[in-house]
Amino acid sequence: MRRCSTTPIHPRTARARKRLALVALTLLLAASPARADSVEVAPGVQVTRKSYSGPANQQPFFGFAAKTPEQRAADEKFVNDMVAATGSRQKAFDEASLRGWRAISKGNASEAALRFNQAYLLAPQESAVYHGFAIVAMMRFNDIDYADELFKRARMQPHPLKPLASDHGRALLIGKRPQDARAVLEQAVTEAPDLADAWSNLGFARLQTGDAAGACAAANEAATRKPSSTVSSDLALLRTTAECK
């Protein structure tokens, strides 16, 4: 049996060991991945702080830029004017977010960012804010990872819109993450079974995960739900690629 040493440790030796331990800990911490910088954007709601090149009001959450007193006063005036013009804060939010969705439908991501920033000033807790910013991150900045984060946050916020899960899944498809997309889209068609876009997106996710039969079944479901002309074109491509009968 090995005997424990009773030789006392010299104070200098002890200090040297402590220094070595401290150096080792420092190196370990330096080698570890840094935590993402997060910020509270609404009571109890945190997101990653991200900014991009370009005007702050054309980025999600104003690019997290520090605002001057004049800018904060302008924000307050905007909110007051919108509420006065529409009759309530909720109606003002609905109007601002509607303008954002119109901009997205026209492919104008910078205008959409501006409008969703206005909606954010009016109701920072609403799901549509994060939903809109997710699409802006994807369209304007090609940042699928940040879009994914914001889509997830949108699903936790009040009053999510029906296409939310479908849009999230499509973003993951664009980001070449078909397995993740399929999980989201399988849930999307459960939550909104009448949405042709959700079924079409699910079809592509199934096809890209090796399920051609499931892709064709999703295409058939989408076709019975009054698809738009864009979705109809997607379905034609899906059926051809999956070799549907």
Side-chain angles (χ1 to χ4, degrees):
M1 181 176 178
R2 187 176 179 179
R3 298 179 63 185
C4 296
S5 173
T6 58
T7 304
I9 299 175
H10 192 279
R12 289 184 179 178
T13 303
R15 287 196 295 271
R17 288 182 180 179
K18 287 181 181 179
R19 284 197 296 271
L20 287 173
L22 179 60
V23 169
L25 178 60
T26 303
L27 291 173
L28 178 62
L29 292 174
S32 301
R35 289 187 177 182
D37 183 20
S38 62
V39 62
E40 188 173 67
V41 292
V45 179
Q46 291 195 337
V47 299
T48 300
R49 184 194 302 269
K50 277 203 172 186
S51 60
Y52 308 90
S53 60
N57 64 357
Q58 295 178 15
Q59 303 179 44
F61 308 102
F62 295 96
F64 299 99
K67 292 187 177 183
T68 65
E70 292 77 15
Q71 288 172 324
R72 289 194 293 271
D75 287 346
E76 185 176 354
K77 183 178 185 303
F78 164 78
V79 169
N80 292 336
D81 288 348
M82 281 288 287
V83 171
T86 59
S88 73
R89 199 178 187 96
Q90 183 60 50
K91 289 180 180 178
F93 170 80
D94 292 341
E95 179 61 28
S97 58
L98 178 60
R99 292 175 184 178
W101 296 123
R102 285 174 178 165
I104 284 174
S105 69
K106 295 176 182 177
N108 191 340
S110 58
E111 172 72 11
L114 173 64
R115 299 307 180 185
F116 282 112
N117 273 317
Q118 293 174 342
Y120 169 63
L121 292 175
L122 289 156
Q125 76 284 353
E126 287 289 319
S127 173
V129 169
Y130 304 87
H131 187 171
F133 280 152
I135 296 178
V136 167
M138 180 175 60
M139 288 177 61
R140 183 165 171 75
F141 303 107
N142 195 32
D143 193 339
I144 301 297
D145 289 341
Y146 197 39
D148 181 28
E149 176 186 334
L150 294 176
F151 275 124
K152 288 175 179 175
R153 170 50 64 182
R155 300 192 71 177
M156 293 186 279
Q157 297 307 114
H159 313 123
L161 300 176
K162 183 183 289 188
L164 174 57
S166 179
D167 289 346
H168 186 188
R170 187 174 184 87
L172 293 170
L173 284 174
I174 293 171
K176 303 186 186 304
R177 294 167 56 183
Q179 199 67 53
D180 293 336
R182 180 169 181 170
V184 170
L185 291 164
E186 294 285 3
Q187 187 173 356
V189 298
T190 300
E191 295 173 354
D194 59 332
L195 201 61
D197 297 61
W199 285 104
S200 175
N201 291 335
L202 176 59
F204 282 102
R206 286 177 175 175
L207 180 62
Q208 292 177 27
T209 53
D211 184 4
C216 293
N220 291 338
E221 292 285 354
T224 66
R225 288 165 169 78
K226 299 179 181 180
S228 65
S229 57
T230 301
V231 174
S232 295
S233 297
D234 288 346
L235 291 176
L237 174 62
L238 177 60
R239 286 192 172 107
T240 299
T241 308
E243 299 181 349
C244 301
K245 296 180 180 179

